[in-house]
Structures are given as structure tokens and as C-alpha cells.
């Protein structure tokens, strides 16, 4: 560790950029490996060096420094545990700024413009709602890293992270609907219940925070079309319900909203499963070809496996609300629908 700290303190020139960030990364890994007690004598020096690097003039051509700084701070937090709390003012404000950054997005109509975007380094094109969008991926990756680091801070520090819960929650809730990057949304879904738990443990959780959280979760579930992330949303909902004390502490309007969006998503899953079962039956009737028997069959089975995760989390939530809730029967009925059950019926007939 002393050698790494010496390198970090001396490698200031442009020619030492790579050496500096690699020394930071290595020192952070060593800190985690040796544990809190062995790292403690070097912790203050390491933190001072990181703060000095962070406060140094920004070089626009140095695209690696920001990424390595965020990652190294996260490692230091993991190594120091609760003792990292005094350094939160040095790292959280800039992290929240990165997490709240708006995506750099352009909309393109003609094919030639789309090709030009694809040729630009750090940009990629995606099709969303029938439109071709050009997105600067580097900024979005930094945004994702910021949220993942906030997860580390909050999970490591617990109630000690409370002073930053309101600002972090304000940035995190909109991230549940950040459709440009799945990693951002997944990190936000993990972070939401952690933030509420931190606020509850420190007696700083307010009714306004709880209301804003459930309003955003209900809205996100209602509009979500990605089944894999829908499972993450329901896990987030279940964890959040557990943190606040269960459905009994929520206003009736929120519980009614949760049941309403669950009915909506349950109907969508049922419709998709019926459609896949009909498709498989039609393929079998026509003399099943490789598209149905091969890759397509595997894809449909995978889709239903992901849907099963959603249905399981729906069931867990409904069981907490009411162990005899009538929708629990509907969840079981939807599970029995679809391509997989059709295939089982065929095998039984044989």
C-alpha cells in the first residue's frame, strides 16, 4: 500500500494518467482485501490523495479519471464500513450530480444520419417507439455507475447515509423509468427500499417520501412493458412494503392503485401466454418446423420463465396484503396458461 500511495502522490503529469488510475484501482482492491483494521493506518492518507485528485483541474481529454475515481471511492467505502461516514460530503454531491444528468439524445429520421451516428465513437443508435435515437453512451454509463455506487454507500452505511436520503431518493425515483439503460433502472430498483430503510432506521423517513415512492412505483408498474424489469419492480415493491411496515400503514388509495396495476399486468401476461399457446398449437397443426421446435420454442419457454418470476413476486405481494386475496387464484390460473403448459399437455397425450 505505501508504494501505491507514493505513486498516486507523484503521478501528476499527463504521461502518468494510466499509471495514476491503475494505482487508484489497485489500492482500492488492496484496501478491501486486507480489511478495515489493516487498512485503517493508510486510510486517511489514501482519502486525502483521492480528494486532491478529485479537486484537481478537469482535463476534458482524460476520459478515464472520473470512472476510476467513482469506483475507487466505492472500494474505500466497502473497506472502511461505518468509518467512511465523515467522507460522504466529499463524494455524494458530485455523485448525485452525475446520477441526475440528462441523457444526450438525438432523434434521426433519415438512414444516412443514423449511419453517421453509428460511426461516432461513444454513440450508439436504438429504436424506441418507432423512432431512431442516437445516444451518447459514455454519459449514460457514468450515470449507471453513479447509481451502483450509491447502492454501495447506502447498503454499507445504513442509517449513517440518512442526511443524503431525501436528495438521493429524489434522483432515484425517476430512474425507475429511465428507458435508455437497463442498468440504471435495475440499480434504482435496488436502491429505493435501501433508502427508505436508511430513513426509517434514522427516524428521518417522512410521509412525503413514502407517498412519492409508492406513487412512482405504481406509475412505473402500470407502464412497464419489459417483463424482466417488471419482476425487479415487484421485488422493489415487496421490499419497500416490508420496510415501511406492510400494507396496513399505507393510505387506501395506494393499495387500491397497487391492486389495479397488478390486475392490468396480470391481464397482459395472460394475453401473451394465450397468444404463445395458440401460436404453438398452430405450428403443431401445420407440421411443426424448426422455427417452432427449435430456437423459437426455447425463446417462448424463456419468456414464460421470466414471467413466472413476475407472477411469483405478484403472489408474494398479494399474500402480504391478504392471504386469501382473490387475485391469488388468478395468478395461479395465469401460471397454468401458455406455451409451456401446452407442451406438457401434448406430452401427456402421447
Amino acid at each position: 500500500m505505501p508504494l501505491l500511495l507514493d505513486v498516486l502522490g507523484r503521478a501528476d503529469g499527463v504521461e502518468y494518467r494510466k499509471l495514476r488510475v491503475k494505482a487508484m484501482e489497485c489500492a482500492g482492491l488492496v484496501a478491501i482485501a486486507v480489511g478495515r483494521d489493516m487498512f485503517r493506518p493508510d486510510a486517511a492518507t489514501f482519502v486525502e490523495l483521492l480528494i486532491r485528485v478529485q479537486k484537481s483541474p478537469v482535463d476534458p481529454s482524460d476520459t478515464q479519471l472520473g470512472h476510476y475515481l467513482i469506483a475507487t471511492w466505492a472500494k474505500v467505502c466497502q473497506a472502511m464500513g461505518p468509518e467512511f461516514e465523515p467522507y460522504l460530503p466529499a463524494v455524494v454531491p458530485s455523485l448525485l450530480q452525475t446520477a441526475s444528468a440528462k441523457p444526450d439524445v438525438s432523434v434521426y429520421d433519415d438512414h444516412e444520419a443514423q449511419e453517421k451516428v453509428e460511426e461516432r465513437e461513444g454513440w450508439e443508435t436504438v429504436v424506441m417507439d418507432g423512432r431512431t435515437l442516437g445516444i451518447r453512451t459514455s454519459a449514460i454509463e457514468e450515470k449507471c455507475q453513479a447509481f451502483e455506487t450509491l447502492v454501495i454507500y447506502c447498503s454499507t452505511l445504513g442509517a449513517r447515509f440518512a442526511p443524503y436520503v431525501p436528495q438521493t431518493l429524489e434522483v432515484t425515483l425517476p430512474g425507475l423509468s429511465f428507458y435508455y439503460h437497463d442498468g440504471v433502472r435495475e440499480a434504482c430498483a435496488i436502491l429505493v427500499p435501501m433508502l427508505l430503510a436508511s430513513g426509517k432506521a434514522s427516524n428521518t423517513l417522512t410521509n412525503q417520501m413514502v407517498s412519492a415512492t409508492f406513487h412512482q412505483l405504481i406509475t412505473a408498474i402500470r407502464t412497464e412493458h419489459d417483463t424482466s424489469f417488471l419482476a425487479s419492480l415487484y421485488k422493489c415493491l415487496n421490499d419497500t412494503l416490508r420496510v415501511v411496515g406492510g400494507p396496513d400503514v399505507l393510505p387506501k388509495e395506494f393499495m387500491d392503485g397497487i391492486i389495479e396495476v397488478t390486475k392490468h399486468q396480470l391481464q397482459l401476461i395472460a394475453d401473451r401466454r394465450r397468444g404463445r399457446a395458440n401460436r404453438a398449437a398452430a405450428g403443431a397443426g401445420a407440421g411443426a418446423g424448426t422455427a417452432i421446435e427449435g430456437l423459437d420454442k426455447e425463446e417462448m419457454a424463456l419468456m414464460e420463465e421470466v414471467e413466472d418470476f413476475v407472477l411469483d413476486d405478484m403472489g408474494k405481494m398479494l399474500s402480504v396484503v391478504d392471504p386469501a386475496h382473490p387475485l391469488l387464484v388468478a395468478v395461479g390460473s395465469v401460471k397454468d396458461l401458455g406455451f409451456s403448459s401446452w407442451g406438457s399437455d401434448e406430452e401427456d397425450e402421447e
Side-chain angles (χ1 to χ4, degrees):
M1 182 65 83
L3 177 60
L4 291 169
L5 296 180
D6 184 60
V7 170
L8 194 55
R10 295 171 181 267
D12 292 328
V14 175
E15 65 275 21
Y16 297 122
R17 283 178 182 171
K18 189 169 184 179
L19 177 62
R20 180 171 60 177
V21 296
K22 289 300 181 182
M24 286 167 47
E25 180 182 41
C26 189
L29 291 170
V30 170
I32 292 175
V34 300
R36 187 186 312 170
D37 293 336
M38 289 193 67
F39 175 57
R40 190 177 287 116
D42 296 308
T45 303
F46 190 17
V47 167
E48 288 174 9
L49 288 169
L50 289 178
I51 292 174
R52 192 181 81 178
V53 171
Q54 187 168 280
K55 290 183 176 180
S56 61
V58 178
D59 183 353
S61 62
D62 189 354
T63 58
Q64 291 186 312
L65 181 59
H67 167 80
Y68 278 95
L69 257 178
I70 293 175
T72 302
W73 278 119
K75 293 181 179 70
V76 173
C77 177
Q78 289 173 293
M80 296 184 69
E83 296 174 18
F84 186 76
E85 181 186 1
Y87 303 113
L88 286 176
V91 295
V92 173
S94 60
L95 202 60
L96 290 176
Q97 185 177 2
T98 301
S100 61
K102 302 297 182 184
D104 195 349
V105 179
S106 300
V107 181
Y108 297 94
D109 297 324
D110 60 283
H111 184 68
E112 184 177 345
Q114 178 182 341
E115 289 181 342
K116 288 182 179 179
V117 175
E118 292 174 346
E119 293 173 359
R120 293 173 63 182
E121 185 177 353
W123 285 71
E124 68 177 31
T125 59
V126 297
V127 178
M128 185 177 297
D129 296 331
R131 299 181 302 170
T132 300
L133 307 178
I135 303 175
R136 190 163 72 89
T137 53
S138 56
I140 293 181
E141 291 296 337
E142 290 173 3
K143 185 182 184 79
C144 181
Q145 186 190 24
F147 277 116
E148 291 172 345
T149 303
L150 287 168
V151 169
I152 292 173
Y153 289 169
C154 192
S155 63
T156 302
L157 296 170
R160 292 177 173 83
F161 191 74
Y164 298 96
V165 165
Q167 307 99 299
T168 307
L169 190 63
E170 185 178 352
V171 172
T172 303
L173 290 176
L176 294 171
S177 301
F178 190 79
Y179 299 109
Y180 302 111
H181 196 289
D182 290 340
V184 170
R185 300 207 291 163
E186 292 289 352
C188 289
I190 295 171
L191 184 55
V192 166
M194 287 183 178
L195 291 170
L196 296 193
S198 175
K200 185 177 181 180
S202 59
N203 294 317
T204 59
L205 184 63
T206 65
N207 290 334
Q208 185 179 5
M209 291 181 198
V210 174
S211 296
T213 298
F214 280 97
H215 175 76
Q216 188 67 35
L217 277 171
I218 290 168
T219 301
I221 290 173
R222 179 185 294 113
T223 58
E224 187 55 53
H225 299 291
D226 182 349
T227 308
S228 61
F229 186 63
L230 185 61
S232 299
L233 283 174
Y234 267 100
K235 185 180 186 309
C236 176
L237 175 62
N238 288 336
D239 291 344
T240 303
L241 273 172
R242 187 176 63 253
V243 168
V244 300
D248 293 340
V249 305
L250 289 182
K252 184 176 181 297
E253 61 185 280
F254 287 127
M255 288 313 305
D256 289 346
I258 290 171
I259 297 301
E260 178 193 342
V261 296
T262 298
K263 287 180 180 177
H264 171 68
Q265 287 292 350
L266 200 55
Q267 184 63 55
L268 292 178
I269 294 173
D271 291 343
R272 287 196 292 267
R273 291 198 159 197
R274 290 191 189 99
R276 284 194 290 268
N278 293 337
R279 179 182 172 191
T290 55
I292 293 294
E293 291 181 342
L295 179 62
D296 202 21
K297 182 176 180 179
E298 293 176 1
E299 287 177 347
M300 288 192 286
L302 181 59
M303 290 175 189
E304 293 195 357
E305 184 179 352
V306 174
E307 289 170 353
D308 281 342
F309 290 129
V310 178
L311 294 169
D312 288 342
D313 283 319
M314 280 184 181
K316 291 175 186 176
M317 182 271 296
L318 292 168
S319 296
V320 172
V321 174
D322 178 3
H325 199 286
L327 273 184
L328 284 169
V329 177
V331 170
S333 299
V334 172
K335 266 197 165 188
D336 292 336
L337 292 173
F339 170 71
S340 296
S341 60
W342 175 87
S344 299
D345 293 340
E346 287 293 304
E347 289 173 5
D348 291 341
E349 289 177 9
E350 291 176 2

